[in-house]
């Protein structure tokens, strides 16, 4: 009975904390995001087996449709430009900047058909989310063993051409909220050149107007996504990779600052 008496005060306390404590909002949204994604993965697992019989890139369509509503719960919306650049036939490599786990929502917002990702191997051990990633055909690499990662990239290049799939890669290699892009690693560019397929750069605006991890701020806000024109790699060799990386970085870094400045004025900076 004592527990029942506690229920009304707790129900009143929740909206009070949501209105008055930005730290509580931050942790609640983070917890909800992780928990809900795990629930959605649990729902998607049997559906993927029914749809494709197991691991298949076509499962990403189902995963995409299940995840797209999550943005509304977190108070986020996406403003996308350059859709026409994704209307490219055949295999290609997508490269984008990487700020946090929220990138998954933007990725699912624009993910083209027959596209999956390259991700760190540790993700496969993330419970139901890890299993659904495997079922979606995600290519896992061991970042601690460069030789293994290189071998996986070679196999991924062959799979791209044989199965006519697209691969999404985060060339920074890790999450980054410094306000600038980190130097790009070579893997995505080796992959594209080896397969002789185009690279399509995609840039997410800075999250600093609504999400600051260190300051424990997680407000509502807009994320601008800019899809840039494809970069051809036909005829390029491994000798061309350094200049390919530099050109891609310069294009994306310029776009990142441009759209981030624009969206920061509309979102307003987080107060802390």
């Amino acid at each position: 009975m004592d527990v029942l008496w506690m229920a009304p005060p707790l129900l009143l306390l929740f909206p009070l904390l949501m209105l008055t404590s930005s730290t509580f909002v931050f942790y609640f949204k983070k917890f909800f995001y992780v928990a809900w994604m795990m629930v959605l993965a649990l729902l998607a697992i049997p559906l993927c087996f029914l749809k494709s019989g197991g691991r298949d890139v076509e499962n990403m369509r189902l995963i995409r449709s299940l995840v797209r509503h999550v943005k509304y719960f977190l108070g986020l919306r996406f403003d996308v430009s350059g859709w026409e650049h994704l209307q490219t036939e055949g295999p290609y490599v997508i490269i984008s900047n990487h700020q946090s786990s929220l990138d998954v929502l933007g990725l699912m917002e624009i993910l083209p058909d027959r596209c999956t990702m390259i991700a760190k191997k540790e993700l496969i051990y993330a419970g139901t989310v890890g299993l659904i990633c495997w079922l979606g055909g995600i290519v896992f690499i061991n970042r601690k063993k460069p030789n293994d990662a290189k071998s996986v990239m070679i196999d991924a290049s062959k799979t791209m051409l044989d199965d006519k799939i697209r691969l999404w890669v985060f060339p920074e290699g890790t999450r980054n909220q410094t306000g600038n892009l980190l130097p790009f690693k070579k893997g995505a560019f080796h992959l594209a050149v080896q397969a002789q397929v185009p690279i399509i750069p995609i840039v997410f605006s800075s999250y600093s107007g609504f999400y600051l991890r260190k300051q424990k701020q997680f407000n509502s806000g807009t994320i601008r996504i800019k899809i840039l024109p494809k970069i051809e790699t036909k005829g390029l060799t491994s000798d061309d990779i350094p200049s390919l990386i530099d050109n891609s970085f310069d294009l994306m870094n310029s776009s990142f600052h441009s759209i981030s400045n624009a969206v920061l004025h509309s979102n307003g900076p987080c107060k802390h």
Side-chain angles (χ1 to χ4, degrees):
M1 292 296 293
D2 291 339
V3 174
L4 293 176
W5 280 106
M6 290 173 61
L10 288 175
L11 289 174
L12 291 173
L13 183 61
F14 175 77
L16 181 64
L17 288 172
M18 289 293 288
L19 289 170
T20 60
S21 173
S22 59
T23 301
F24 179 81
V25 171
F26 175 85
Y27 282 113
F28 175 77
K29 282 190 172 183
K30 291 283 284 185
F31 171 79
F32 172 83
Y33 178 49
V34 172
W36 188 237
M37 292 294 270
M38 293 184 74
V39 169
L40 291 175
L42 186 62
L43 293 172
I45 288 167
L47 295 176
C48 286
F49 277 106
L50 288 171
K51 175 181 173 61
S52 305
R55 179 174 166 87
D56 193 317
V57 69
E58 285 296 320
N59 286 328
M60 291 306 298
R61 289 190 184 193
L62 174 63
I63 297 166
R64 181 180 62 192
S65 65
L66 285 174
V67 169
R68 276 184 167 175
H69 72 281
V70 176
K71 62 189 175 188
Y72 300 115
F73 291 128
L74 300 178
L76 302 178
R77 73 180 187 90
F78 294 93
D79 181 4
V80 183
S81 63
W83 277 107
E84 66 275 11
H85 301 309
L86 281 182
Q87 311 311 310
T88 299
E89 296 296 325
Y92 48 78
V93 174
I94 293 174
I95 56 173
S96 73
N97 55 318
H98 190 21
Q99 298 179 76
S100 83
S101 59
L102 295 175
D103 295 342
V104 172
L105 300 182
L107 185 152
M108 290 298 172
E109 189 76 9
I110 61 172
L111 189 75
D113 290 338
R114 297 200 61 74
C115 183
T116 190
M117 288 134 275
I118 291 180
K120 60 184 180 181
K121 189 176 181 180
E122 293 86 343
L123 187 60
I124 201 170
Y125 304 113
T128 56
V129 170
L131 180 53
I132 203 63
C133 287
W134 181 83
L135 286 169
I138 286 181
V139 178
F140 297 100
I141 59 171
N142 188 342
R143 295 185 301 186
K144 297 178 182 178
K145 296 183 178 180
N147 288 336
D148 289 353
K150 187 175 180 180
S151 175
V152 168
M153 285 294 197
I154 292 171
D155 291 341
S157 172
K158 185 175 184 302
T159 301
M160 281 184 72
L161 298 176
D162 291 347
D163 297 343
K164 300 290 188 291
I165 68 170
R166 294 85 181 250
L167 285 172
W168 189 306
V169 187
F170 297 106
E172 292 172 287
T174 189
R175 299 174 188 177
N176 165 44
Q177 266 195 294
T178 62
N180 290 289
L181 302 191
L182 296 177
F184 289 171
K185 298 183 182 299
K186 296 179 179 179
F189 304 92
H190 275 291
L191 176 63
V193 168
Q194 185 164 355
Q196 293 287 281
V197 299
I199 294 171
I200 298 181
I202 295 179
V203 184
F204 294 81
S205 62
S206 172
Y207 298 168
S208 62
F210 64 90
Y211 177 80
L212 292 169
R213 183 171 55 84
K214 289 183 179 179
Q215 289 84 354
K216 305 295 183 290
Q217 300 282 329
F218 194 164
N219 301 323
S220 299
T222 298
I223 300 168
R224 288 196 179 178
I225 303 176
K226 187 170 184 178
I227 305 164
L228 301 177
K230 67 181 178 181
I231 301 170
E232 291 289 357
T233 66
K234 282 187 178 179
L236 299 186
T237 68
S238 57
D239 293 335
D240 298 303
I241 287 176
S243 62
L244 182 62
I245 292 174
D246 289 342
N247 291 338
S248 301
F249 180 89
D250 290 343
L251 281 170
M252 292 178 66
N253 196 45
S254 175
S255 293
F256 173 73
H257 287 290
S258 175
I259 63 174
S260 295
N261 288 335
V263 81
L264 189 61
H265 286 97
S266 60
N267 283 332
C270 275
K271 296 177 181 179
H272 56 276

